[in-house]
Amino acid sequence: MQKKGKIVSLLVRLKFSAQMALNGITSNLLRTFLTVLGIAIGVAAVVSLMGIGEGARKSIVAQFESLGENVIVIKSNTETVRFETEEAEELPERVTGIEYATPVVYQEKTPIRWRREESEMDIVGVNQNYPLIKDHKVVSGNFFTSLHVKQRSPVAVLGFNVANSLLNGRSPVGQILKINGLNYRVVGVLAEKGKGKGDGIDNKILIPYTSALKIAEKKDVEEIWAKSNSSEDAELAMVQLGRIYKRKVGIGGNIVPANGSEEPAPGEGTDETIDEPLEPVEPEKPENPDKENVFKKGEEPLTITSLNNLVKEADQANKIMTVLLGGIAAVSLLVGGIGIMNIMLVAVTERTSEIGVRRALGAKQEDLLIQFLLEAVYVSIIGCILGIILGAWAVTVVSRYGLNAIVSMQSIKIAIGVALSSGVLFGVYPAINASSLPPVEALKRS
């Protein structure tokens, strides 16, 4: 019974302290408003800046992901290195972990004629595996087949925007386009990737790479796309591809593997062997001076890149940027917390008579400590609510002007945590000052 009476007494004291704290912040509304405004601006800055950073992170990651999952890109960076088309077609058989592969031919600003309208568009030459490699569906018609590729058939698959502009949204499958002066029959339309995604494939035309080589007047290709079933298979394929193309290029250190570090050359730093080990060659004058110049400059003649790792790196880099933006904005919250402490110290000085009367009537030190701490917490909570509203509004405004920004729960949690922590932290000292005033001293000061 005695224990129950103590609990009831404690609850009554807490209720009374909470009421006194509420009266304390409403007694001077202008001062309270200015203090709340400092916290609100800090919270709004955290929510909005972290929202912009998070939106940018998701946008960049989505752009990389739109290029396909578990895709490996083998790209020549110099005219001295080229890939035979048969080489790309045979990669799934030669390299463990690769399921599909295609040679890639780019032909920019190719003349296109549709009825009486003329334009210039980018052409991409691939084989029948493109939809599987890039995870890109066909929404109308079909993709061209291996037979089309072998026979250099004049067929084309249109990007979504290209198809949409031909017949005002109706399917153009079966229609004839003139590409570089030759008639090409439209056999399919790709699904929409969206603005800035899929390397702008919505505005391009795909044809068999054999036909694209004829338009470009080339025999070899500069790029190969490969596809693995899983990220583990992609990592394994990266290692094998690094070894294969080191032998092809004739160097040991200019291949960029999956993790961005250089893969050791065969026989260096590993016990594994390959079927065709490199034999030592005595230094001699290079047959191809241009190729030697490329190596001397330190340029990479070719790169092997895993898009999975590009996604991870972009995600990590943007997470760091988001945290930095949040940290910068959190400084304003600390300034708001200092404002709370300043106002509370002023309040303690002005309310010494109230403190003295309460102490004379039997209020304990902890009662006054709780009261002034609650005042700081009230101000922080009101500032948090107002700041979240302002921050969400700022994110909405930014989104209307083209930037991808979102209100993330993480930013709200961080803002609330920092705001409440600073409110309590900077409210402790004034609260201790108020509670430690002796009743007689407090009454004298009044």
Side-chain angles (χ1 to χ4, degrees):
M1 194 71 181
Q2 186 177 2
K3 185 177 180 181
K4 184 177 179 181
K6 288 182 178 180
I7 294 175
V8 172
S9 175
L10 179 62
L11 291 175
V12 170
R13 288 164 57 195
L14 285 174
K15 180 181 178 182
F16 186 75
S17 295
Q19 290 176 344
M20 292 294 294
L22 187 61
N23 290 334
I25 64 172
T26 56
S27 61
N28 195 325
L29 290 178
L30 179 59
R31 185 169 63 192
T32 301
F33 171 74
L34 294 176
T35 310
V36 167
L37 188 61
I39 295 293
I41 291 173
V43 172
V46 171
V47 172
S48 57
L49 287 180
M50 290 193 70
I52 293 172
E54 183 68 12
R57 182 186 72 83
K58 289 192 174 183
S59 178
I60 292 173
V61 169
Q63 288 181 16
F64 279 111
E65 289 179 342
S66 69
L67 297 174
E69 189 177 3
N70 303 321
V71 175
I72 298 172
V73 177
I74 308 165
K75 185 177 181 180
S76 168
N77 298 321
T78 173
E79 294 180 359
T80 61
V81 178
R82 288 293 182 268
F83 310 110
E84 297 178 358
T85 55
E86 295 80 6
E87 185 178 343
E89 298 281 8
E90 293 171 0
L91 277 183
E93 299 176 4
R94 295 180 61 193
V95 179
T96 304
I98 289 183
E99 189 71 16
Y100 308 102
T102 178
V104 183
V105 181
Y106 292 104
Q107 188 65 18
E108 298 180 350
K109 296 183 178 180
T110 304
I112 306 295
R113 183 179 177 86
W114 163 250
R115 296 179 178 175
R116 295 183 180 180
E117 299 178 3
E118 295 183 358
S119 181
E120 290 184 343
M121 294 185 185
D122 293 344
I123 303 297
V124 182
V126 292
N127 67 10
Q128 70 282 355
N129 293 324
Y130 170 85
L132 300 171
I133 294 173
K134 289 291 190 172
D135 303 319
H136 202 168
K137 295 180 180 180
V138 178
V139 293
S140 180
N142 299 285
F143 206 80
F144 46 77
T145 65
S146 58
L147 185 61
H148 289 133
V149 176
K150 290 179 181 178
Q151 295 181 346
R152 296 184 180 179
S153 300
V155 294
V157 176
L158 307 183
F160 186 84
N161 291 342
V162 178
N164 196 46
S165 63
L166 293 183
L167 295 174
N168 297 321
R170 291 179 293 163
S171 174
V173 173
Q175 300 291 324
I176 301 298
L177 278 176
K178 275 191 178 293
I179 300 178
N180 203 39
L182 299 176
N183 290 333
Y184 277 73
R185 180 168 54 90
V186 178
V187 296
V189 177
L190 294 172
E192 185 179 14
K193 279 286 187 178
K195 185 178 180 181
K197 296 182 180 179
D199 197 24
I201 195 64
D202 289 344
N203 299 313
K204 296 179 181 179
I205 299 175
L206 274 64
I207 63 175
Y209 74 84
T210 48
S211 300
L213 285 172
K214 185 178 180 181
I215 294 175
E217 299 180 350
K218 297 178 181 177
K219 292 183 178 180
D220 300 323
V221 298
E222 302 171 7
E223 192 165 327
I224 297 173
W225 294 340
K227 171 82 167 183
S228 298
N229 283 331
S230 64
S231 58
E232 292 77 12
D233 287 344
E235 295 289 338
L236 178 61
M238 288 286 293
V239 175
Q240 295 187 40
L241 287 169
R243 291 172 180 166
I244 289 173
Y245 285 103
K246 281 175 187 177
R247 297 203 304 273
K248 175 183 174 67
V249 178
I251 60 174
N254 284 343
I255 306 299
V256 181
N259 58 5
S261 62
E262 294 182 357
E263 180 69 21
E268 295 182 6
T270 177
D271 295 332
E272 298 181 11
T273 59
I274 55 178
D275 295 335
E276 300 178 8
L278 292 172
E279 297 181 358
V281 180
E282 294 183 2
E284 59 181 12
K285 186 176 180 179
E287 296 181 3
N288 190 336
D290 293 335
K291 183 175 180 180
E292 182 67 19
N293 288 339
V294 170
F295 297 157
K296 282 183 177 180
K297 291 176 184 177
E299 298 177 10
E300 296 169 352
L302 64 88
T303 51
I304 305 173
T305 308
S306 169
L307 297 188
N308 288 354
N309 289 303
L310 289 182
V311 173
K312 292 178 183 177
E313 290 171 5
D315 185 40
Q316 185 63 29
N318 280 276
K319 279 183 178 178
I320 293 173
M321 182 189 73
T322 302
V323 171
L324 288 175
L325 287 174
I328 293 170
V331 173
S332 59
L333 276 175
L334 295 179
V335 175
I338 295 173
I340 289 178
M341 182 172 66
N342 184 38
I343 295 301
M344 295 298 295
L345 287 172
V346 172
V348 170
T349 304
E350 290 180 349
R351 293 156 62 186
T352 51
S353 59
E354 173 193 329
I355 295 170
V357 170
R358 288 201 63 193
R359 291 297 305 275
L361 293 175
K364 299 181 179 179
Q365 283 190 353
E366 53 264 31
D367 295 328
L368 293 170
L369 182 65
I370 291 173
Q371 175 187 336
F372 281 87
L373 274 179
L374 283 177
E375 288 187 21
V377 170
Y378 286 161
V379 170
S380 298
I381 291 176
I382 297 171
C384 278
I385 296 173
L386 183 59
I388 291 171
I389 295 172
L390 289 175
W393 174 78
V395 167
T396 304
V397 171
V398 169
S399 300
R400 289 177 182 175
Y401 286 92
L403 286 178
N404 190 8
I406 58 174
V407 179
S408 64
M409 287 303 299
Q410 182 184 11
S411 64
I412 292 176
K413 289 178 181 177
I414 291 175
I416 292 175
V418 175
L420 292 180
S421 299
S422 62
V424 172
L425 179 64
F426 290 106
V428 166
Y429 179 67
I432 292 175
N433 274 359
S435 62
S436 61
L437 280 176
V440 176
E441 182 69 23
L443 292 173
K444 280 183 179 180
R445 291 185 185 180
S446 61

